[in-house]
Amino acid sequence: MSLMVVSVACVGFFLVQRACPHTGGQDKTFLSARPSAVVPQGGHVTLQCHYRRGFNNFTNFTLYKDDRSHVPIFLGRIFQESFLIGPVTPAHAGTYRCRGSYPHSPTEWSALSDPLAIMVTGVHRKPSLLALPGPLVKSGETVTLQCSSDTVFGHFFLHSEVTFEELLHLVGELHGGGSQANYSINSTTSDLAETFRCYGSVTHSPYVLSAPSDPLNIVITGKYEKPSLSAQPGPTVQAGENVILSCSSRCSFDMYHLSREGEARELSLSAVPSINGTFQADFPLGPATHGGTYRCFGSFRTAPYKWSDPSDPLPVSVTGNPSRSWPSPTEPSSKTGIPQTPACSDWDLSGHDPLHHLLLSPASLVLQQKECCCNGPRACGGQNSESGGL
Ligand SMILES: *[C@@H]1O[C@H](CO)[C@@H](O)[C@H](O)[C@H]1NC(C)=O
Ligand SMILES: *[C@@H]1O[C@H](CO)[C@@H](O)[C@H](O)[C@H]1NC(C)=O
Ligand SMILES: *[C@@H]1O[C@H](CO)[C@@H](O)[C@H](O)[C@H]1NC(C)=O
Ligand SMILES: *[C@@H]1O[C@H](CO)[C@@H](O)[C@H](O)[C@H]1NC(C)=O
Ligand SMILES: *[C@@H]1O[C@H](CO)[C@@H](O)[C@H](O)[C@H]1NC(C)=O
């Protein structure tokens, strides 16, 4: 199993350079796969054999497959520059090694490279991936990613673009006729705000993978100060009356997200600057049919999975017949108003003694800034330079 983890780490040329260069001498041999060692069935992958910390290609090299079910083409064949495999079949999955001949002495062959796992995806039915307790994770809290399948998988592999560089191997445990694996991540120590997928494979052929699960977006909340949420015409409406929920903030958020308690998905709308310098989005819920408790969040375009603290909860009650449907938003009503520079004229020092404000040391001011959305990706230039002078 440890062999497998090592080999999975060497997926692709750039990873090889980063993950493997310190394991041997100058002439350590590496096998790389482009564009990726994780290949969809029917796709293509290019293998190259490298030396000198991965900076040089071997012009002539041989390939070895570790398992017994050799794909005959590799036996005793010398490859030049690179080798393109494809269309890839499950028979191509497995670990490979290479050995190259040096240009200065063509009869001298290098040492055998570390193994590289070529994983072929799309062979089994996709597993499902869930976040527990949910995909909205409060900054500093821990989330469990749970991969499950209705067939028995001995292995699961988690894929992320940021949090782990390579597929993360998890042991599948029997669970109600299928398999399951949990992986807990603390959002303090990892940049979790991104998209995850998982794959499964059976015990005896670990590199023959399922299709990827549906993508799971993890959102970290609590990155910026909370917006405020209000209802028009008010939080209690007659059945059939049109309801608009307005989320607003003095922070220059690009997007607002409206969640309803008990609903898995959020509605998202672009923020529009208002004449009074706030940034707002109006969620038209249509004719009121059912009540619910709503919250909204703000985010910036540059970090779509990092959201503010939730607004205070807003209970909306409807006098009339209840229904289960979740209304979808129509286009946001365009607000009239002159776009203004972000309204960051005040620091959010609510709850603090005004005198204490004057006594803030630079260090505690930094702590205060973390509470202000103006410290977000779109910084509020004027205010930040003013505060720097305190
Ligand atoms: C490796 O070989 C490819 C051609 O297959 C070439 O484009 C590339 O520049 C070579 N890389 C190095 C570092 O020599
Ligand atoms: C590569 O192998 C071919 C024969 O297959 C040979 O003619 C050539 O000289 C070799 N090149 C190098 C750089 O070893
Ligand atoms: C997450 O990590 C931080 C920093 O290491 C720690 O203070 C916190 O207790 C951890 N949270 C959980 C739920 O383990
Ligand atoms: C994963 O975690 C959930 C919730 O804590 C638990 O019910 C489940 O049994 C765990 N599964 C495994 C395979 O550990
Ligand atoms: C700013 O204006 C919008 C309408 O343009 C209004 O809904 C909001 O309550 C106003 N906010 C403040 C703080 O006055």
Side-chain angles (χ1 to χ4, degrees):
M1 189 51 61
S2 63
L3 179 73
M4 187 156 120
V5 172
V6 167
S7 57
V8 172
C10 300
V11 288
F13 174 52
F14 295 103
L15 281 182
V16 169
Q17 277 187 286
R18 203 164 8 158
C20 310
H22 305 299
T23 54
Q26 272 285 99
D27 283 351
K28 179 95 184 159
T29 307
F30 304 106
L31 183 60
S32 74
R34 285 179 303 144
S36 170
V38 181
V39 196
Q41 191 172 11
H44 292 78
V45 59
T46 299
L47 299 184
Q48 277 193 316
C49 196
H50 306 266
Y51 64 105
R52 297 246 162 83
R53 297 183 182 271
F55 287 115
N56 288 66
N57 301 332
F58 279 112
T59 307
N60 290 351
F61 64 96
T62 54
L63 272 181
Y64 304 83
K65 197 158 182 273
D66 285 347
D67 64 18
R68 310 244 159 204
S69 61
H70 282 285
V71 177
I73 196 163
F74 300 130
L75 280 173
R77 189 172 143 186
I78 292 179
F79 300 98
Q80 302 197 328
E81 305 283 359
S82 65
F83 178 56
L84 178 72
I85 307 180
V88 162
T89 70
H92 290 111
T95 56
Y96 293 80
R97 297 165 192 261
C98 70
R99 199 191 281 284
S101 75
Y102 294 105
H104 48 88
S105 56
T107 54
E108 188 195 338
W109 288 80
S110 75
L112 208 54
S113 71
D114 285 335
L116 170 74
I118 296 294
M119 304 179 129
V120 178
T121 68
V123 182
H124 308 296
R125 221 149 65 86
K126 69 179 177 189
S128 60
L129 180 59
L130 269 183
L132 301 172
L136 298 193
V137 182
K138 202 167 181 301
S139 185
E141 286 188 348
T142 294
V143 63
T144 298
L145 303 182
Q146 182 179 81
C147 219
S148 9
S149 59
D150 46 22
T151 54
V152 175
F153 282 144
H155 310 276
F156 284 109
F157 296 90
L158 265 182
H159 172 270
S160 85
E161 269 132 44
V162 185
T163 310
F164 348 109
E165 287 174 349
E166 65 273 354
L167 292 182
L168 182 84
H169 176 247
L170 303 173
V171 175
E173 288 173 30
L174 288 176
H175 187 91
S179 297
Q180 195 176 75
N182 287 338
Y183 184 69
S184 296
I185 318 179
N186 184 335
S187 65
T188 309
T189 47
S190 294
D191 185 12
L192 272 175
E194 58 150 329
T195 304
F196 292 85
R197 287 179 176 79
C198 100
Y199 298 90
S201 67
V202 301
T203 306
H204 62 266
S205 46
Y207 305 116
V208 177
L209 304 191
S210 68
S213 67
D214 291 334
L216 170 69
N217 297 331
I218 298 286
V219 170
I220 304 295
T221 67
K223 290 292 191 185
Y224 322 110
E225 68 180 36
K226 67 182 178 190
S228 58
L229 183 60
S230 61
Q232 280 90 48
T236 304
V237 291
Q238 298 285 330
E241 206 175 347
N242 275 310
V243 191
I244 296 174
L245 297 188
S246 299
C247 192
S248 75
S249 170
R250 67 201 179 84
C251 305
S252 55
F253 289 129
D254 296 310
M255 295 295 292
Y256 284 109
H257 313 274
L258 181 70
S259 76
R260 182 172 181 269
E261 226 163 65
E263 292 281 344
R265 67 204 170 96
E266 295 80 31
L267 305 176
S268 298
L269 281 182
S270 297
V272 177
S274 306
I275 194 143
N276 56 14
T278 61
F279 290 76
Q280 184 168 330
D282 294 332
F283 293 89
L285 297 189
T289 52
H290 62 307
T293 299
Y294 294 85
R295 287 177 178 79
C296 75
F297 303 80
S299 71
F300 294 96
R301 192 169 290 118
T302 50
Y305 300 140
K306 292 180 180 170
W307 293 3
S308 68
D309 269 322
S311 66
D312 291 333
L314 176 69
V316 174
S317 48
V318 176
T319 52
N321 56 322
S323 148
R324 308 249 77 204
S325 72
W326 168 242
S328 50
T330 53
E331 281 302 296
S333 56
S334 68
K335 302 298 283 181
T336 50
I338 313 138
Q340 297 194 350
T341 49
C344 298
S345 48
D346 303 308
W347 287 103
D348 182 16
L349 294 170
S350 47
H352 291 275
D353 181 345
L355 264 182
H356 180 228
H357 183 188
L358 297 174
L359 298 174
L360 287 174
S361 67
S364 59
L365 190 65
V366 168
L367 288 176
Q368 289 299 325
Q369 284 179 4
K370 286 205 172 115
E371 298 300 315
C372 179
C373 61
C374 299
N375 204 36
R378 192 196 286 171
C380 187
Q383 179 60 37
N384 281 348
S385 51
E386 270 172 48
S387 65
L390 278 175

